[in-house]
Amino acid sequence: MMKLLLAALAAVPLGLGGPAPAPGAPVAACGALSRVELPGVRIASAAPETVRGNEFCAVHGSFTPGTTFTIKMPTSGWTGQYVQQGCSGLCGSVPELDVPPLGYSCPAALAGKLALAASDSGHRGTDTQPATWGADPRRRVEFGLTSEHKLAGVATAVLRAYYGRGPAHRYFDGCSTGGRQGLTLAQRYPADFDGILAGAPVTDLALLSGVFNPWLVRHNTAADGGQILSAEKLPALHAAVARACGEVITDPRQCGFRPASLRCPAGVDGPACLTGAQVAAVTAFYRGPVDRAGRNLFHGGVPYGSELTWTWFIGPAGTRPAATDAAVIALNYLRYLAYPVNPPPTYSLDDVRFDRAAVDRLSIVGDALYRADNPDLAAFRGRGGKLILYHGWADGVIPPWSTIDYYRAVERRAGGFARARSFSRLYLIPAGYHCLFGPDLHRVTEIGVPELLTPLMDWVESGVAPGELAVPTVTATDPPELVRYLTVQPFHSGRH
């Protein structure tokens, strides 16, 4: 697609005559980009836009089979750096293009000198709306494999039209589904990006949405269809884990907390203790999906320290488990995206089976479209690509175990720790929640978000490899106050 785009672009007269432009300055008027004709691409608008006081040329459009995108280009002083942003959940809307998520203190980002782009990954909608778009196989492929690869080609063509040259350095920044997109690019399209930030990646969407989330919901469902454990008990549970293992857990695998230690006295049920049924449910959450013989069906359960994020699958008293976010997105996936032929509309999470046969059925489509755990990154490494993975130790939405397992496989495939370290890093952030936000996913956690875009750029452009991170710990006040910095070393399988 890239060759077709650039060939078509060469035939588009934009009136580029006159004196040579200043470095990073446009060679065409922003509005002229609306006349660019590219195969399979529709430019809906191109107009100036102000973002955080910085001036951009904003291009909005779409490409087949129905992917909507936005590209924002500085009207002056472009650094030659292009940053593409991933989406989250089941996508369905174009992410806001303000400052790249992990570039909040990157000087070029704050000054509005980076070219930015993002897409809706091939469809419109939200995680809670029925994913009926999955009836179109092309949109499944777009969501799972191709949207970000195509966008990289479209953006390069538009940048050439505006600046007279393409990007000097190309970066991808995504978390959750965006993390999966980043890994997919490194594994399947290794020439698209020079540097990739992949946070809390969904390495296997079929297992996450088709096994792990249903396991959590089902094990919190009582015989009457109500919840076994409600959100009102989560603060006390989290406090008990903190007392047992520390407020900032640097490795949940070393935590020896026992849910039974919080058991209520006989005949008592209150917010500070767990009934026998609740102890069993919490134990199942930490254990993770297994079959009847006790064999693992996933990478593990929710980590110790993640309890405040369990509102993902546990609601306030009176909530039906089927109404929680985890239940809704899992059922959406299973009904519309998981199988070659969709199940009947009556399909529910009660129909999920926790056995190897069920996993194998999910893998038919999942492995082909949504899986991003191929450890062979030789092609990406061979062209100088750099990858930074990160994951919060307290992520209860996508537990860190799958990322750890993946990076260990990368080390083995690369020929050992030293070779893997030459092009990749994994950072595990103590007490970090999902995508380092939370626990409600809408505010920054008390464990501050490290800035990773600048280290990635330094690695790609100057050969300066990232070392330890200084992760800020702040108060929950408004405005927050700095408490201390946590020092986080890159993951090393020999030490972890």
Side-chain angles (χ1 to χ4, degrees):
M1 184 176 182
M2 176 77 77
K3 291 181 179 179
L4 287 172
L5 290 172
L6 297 182
L9 180 60
V12 179
L14 291 175
L16 305 182
V27 298
C30 181
L33 298 179
S34 62
R35 302 197 301 271
V36 173
E37 296 182 1
L38 303 172
V41 180
R42 174 180 175 269
I43 304 295
S45 66
E49 183 175 313
T50 301
V51 181
R52 293 170 59 100
N54 300 314
E55 299 299 321
F56 290 87
C57 172
V59 176
H60 301 275
S62 60
F63 52 79
T64 55
T67 300
T68 301
F69 67 86
T70 297
I71 303 169
K72 293 186 179 180
M73 300 170 289
T75 56
S76 65
W78 179 44
T79 60
Q81 296 159 316
Y82 166 71
V83 179
Q84 187 168 312
Q85 183 175 329
C87 61
S88 62
L90 296 180
C91 305
S93 62
V94 180
E96 290 293 328
L97 292 176
D98 186 347
V99 173
L102 269 292
Y104 67 90
S105 64
C106 173
L110 295 177
K113 303 306 180 186
L114 303 178
L116 308 171
S119 82
D120 64 5
S121 296
H123 58 275
R124 305 295 290 177
T126 68
D127 293 345
T128 58
Q129 294 173 326
T132 53
W133 52 269
D136 184 344
R138 299 175 306 164
R139 293 185 186 269
R140 288 193 186 190
V141 172
E142 190 80 348
F143 168 69
L145 297 177
T146 58
S147 64
E148 303 313 296
H149 168 63
K150 290 181 181 179
L151 177 59
V154 171
T156 295
V158 172
L159 288 166
R160 286 188 181 277
Y162 190 54
Y163 294 114
R165 62 186 178 98
H169 301 288
R170 298 158 298 171
Y171 300 96
F172 186 87
D173 183 354
C175 188
S176 196
T177 294
R180 174 183 65 78
Q181 291 171 328
L183 290 184
T184 297
L185 289 163
Q187 295 163 16
R188 295 177 181 261
Y189 307 105
D192 284 0
F193 290 89
D194 305 303
I196 293 174
L197 285 175
V202 186
T203 55
D204 193 333
L205 181 60
L207 287 184
L208 182 75
S209 290
V211 177
F212 178 70
N213 284 344
W215 172 273
L216 298 177
V217 174
R218 287 267 296 276
H219 280 80
N220 197 41
T221 303
D224 63 359
Q227 294 188 119
I228 295 172
L229 181 71
S230 66
E232 286 79 6
K233 295 206 174 189
L234 297 181
L237 176 60
H238 181 69
V241 172
R243 288 193 299 271
C245 303
E247 292 184 5
V248 178
I249 301 175
T250 56
D251 187 342
R253 296 169 300 181
Q254 306 303 317
C255 178
F257 174 73
R258 296 180 302 106
S261 66
L262 211 59
R263 187 186 296 270
C264 298
V268 175
D269 184 6
C273 64
L274 301 176
T275 66
Q278 290 164 352
V279 168
V282 170
T283 301
F285 302 155
Y286 289 131
R287 176 68 178 88
V290 295
D291 64 14
R292 290 188 176 183
R295 292 170 295 205
N296 291 329
L297 299 175
F298 191 63
H299 300 268
V302 291
Y304 296 113
S306 67
E307 296 76 24
L308 296 182
T309 71
W310 293 5
T311 51
W312 165 248
F313 62 94
I314 296 175
T319 302
R320 305 291 286 185
T324 61
D325 291 341
V328 171
I329 195 170
L331 190 57
N332 220 354
Y333 175 79
L334 289 165
R335 280 180 174 170
Y336 301 107
L337 301 172
Y339 301 108
V341 177
N342 289 338
T346 56
Y347 186 92
S348 74
L349 295 188
D350 290 336
D351 297 312
V352 174
R353 296 292 175 261
F354 299 106
D355 55 37
R356 179 51 54 183
V359 169
D360 290 343
R361 287 193 296 273
L362 286 167
S363 297
I364 295 171
V365 172
D367 286 3
L369 297 182
Y370 313 127
R371 196 165 179 174
D373 62 356
N374 182 354
D376 185 358
L377 300 178
F380 181 70
R381 176 183 63 180
R383 35 175 329 280
K386 300 293 186 284
L387 169 68
I388 295 180
L389 286 158
Y390 62 93
H391 211 128
W393 270 125
D395 190 340
V397 179
I398 303 175
W401 323 124
S402 56
T403 300
I404 294 171
D405 289 345
Y406 174 68
Y407 194 72
R408 282 179 168 154
V410 169
E411 286 187 347
R412 291 193 297 269
R413 189 57 180 260
F417 167 72
R419 290 189 178 182
R421 185 179 172 85
S422 70
F423 70 95
S424 62
R425 294 286 191 278
L426 166 59
Y427 291 97
L428 297 167
I429 311 301
Y433 298 121
H434 186 55
C435 291
L436 309 186
F437 284 82
D440 60 7
L441 306 184
H442 299 293
R443 63 182 177 87
V444 177
T445 179
E446 286 74 14
I447 302 299
V449 181
E451 204 274 290
L452 288 171
L453 184 58
T454 300
L456 181 64
M457 290 177 168
D458 289 343
W459 198 7
V460 168
E461 299 173 31
S462 304
V464 179
E468 66 180 28
L469 293 181
V471 182
T473 303
V474 298
T475 64
T477 58
D478 186 17
E481 297 179 0
L482 179 67
V483 177
R484 62 181 178 272
Y485 279 94
L486 299 173
T487 299
V488 179
Q489 298 287 346
F491 175 89
H492 184 337
S493 59
R495 294 196 306 264
H496 295 81

